[in-house]
Amino acid sequence: MKNIVLFGAPGVGKGTHALLLAEKYDLEHFSTGEMLRQEVAEGTPLGLRVKSLMDKGDLVGDDVVIGLIDKALSATTKGVIFDGFPRTVQQAQALDFLLAQHRRRLSCVISIDAPQEELVRRIHERAAISNRSDDANEDIIRHRLEEYDAKTRPVVDYYKVSGLLVSIDGSGQINQTSMRLCEVVDRMIR
Ligand code: AMP
């Protein structure tokens, strides 16, 4: 069973590529960002708690997203592609624990890399079609990229040690990145 973490900065295209991979390899797509936006849209107590953090571009608490992933893992027997999780070293440690509890193991962690200015350009482009409030403001976009540098980038080192990390160039067209991703998945997972 494949369990893949798709890793990368805001705007790199994790959501798009996670959907494509989920379709091609018949995986469940777990996006913590989508799960949280759903909670906000439904006005649940959790949604009300996280809304202002998300609007500012801050990360929400580790316990919140770990709880969502635990619940989602309990609800499927399929392989999973994780999109936007883990985003801190604590979340990465929790994921190891949760996967073991659910009798799964991580197949690979794929980091999609692109230069920062390209990320900002793509987020602006996305803002024109999505109605994500955190995509609409330059300061919030910059803050999300700062959160990524400070809290999420260290997760790369966590996975380097485990030998599960593969980095690919995501600065080109969607179909080029998609081809590279599929090559990695086919190579890492048989
Ligand atoms: P995303 O759709 O992945 O860009 O996530 C949108 C927002 O949801 C982020 O800016 C955070 O506020 C929150 N979020 C999503 N995933 C996580 C996570 N794993 N840890 C903390 N906050 C998260």
Side-chain angles (χ1 to χ4, degrees), residues 38-40 42-51 64:
Q38 183 78 28
E39 298 278 344
V40 172
E42 287 172 9
T44 66
L46 191 151
L48 294 175
R49 241 188 323 135
V50 297
K51 184 178 183 322
V64 172

Side-chain angles (χ1 to χ4, degrees), residues 7-26:
F7 192 84
V12 83
K14 291 186 301 295
T16 303
H17 290 293
L19 280 171
L20 291 171
L21 290 176
E23 171 94 359
K24 173 160 180 172
Y25 296 95
D26 191 26

Side-chain angles (χ1 to χ4, degrees), residues 4 9 12-13 20 27 29 33 36 38 45 51 55 68 79 82 86 92-93 100-101 114 121 123 131 136 149 158:
I4 301 170
V12 83
L20 291 171
L27 302 171
H29 174 208
L36 291 166
Q38 183 78 28
K51 184 178 183 322
D55 282 346
L68 290 173
F82 296 93
Q93 288 165 338
Q101 253 193 347
R121 194 193 64 75
I123 294 175
N131 59 0
D149 278 335
Y158 181 85

Side-chain angles (χ1 to χ4, degrees), residues 4 11 23 27 54 102 121 134 154 157-158 168 171 175 178:
I4 301 170
E23 171 94 359
L27 302 171
M54 293 176 74
H102 290 270
R121 194 193 64 75
D134 60 345
D157 293 325
Y158 181 85
I168 64 151
S171 61
N175 59 344
S178 181

Side-chain angles (χ1 to χ4, degrees), residues 32-33 36-37 54 58-60 65 84-85 87 91 132 134:
T32 40
L36 291 166
R37 279 188 287 280
M54 293 176 74
D58 284 340
L59 292 186
V60 312
V65 280
F85 181 91
R87 256 174 156 105
Q91 291 177 26
R132 282 181 59 167
D134 60 345

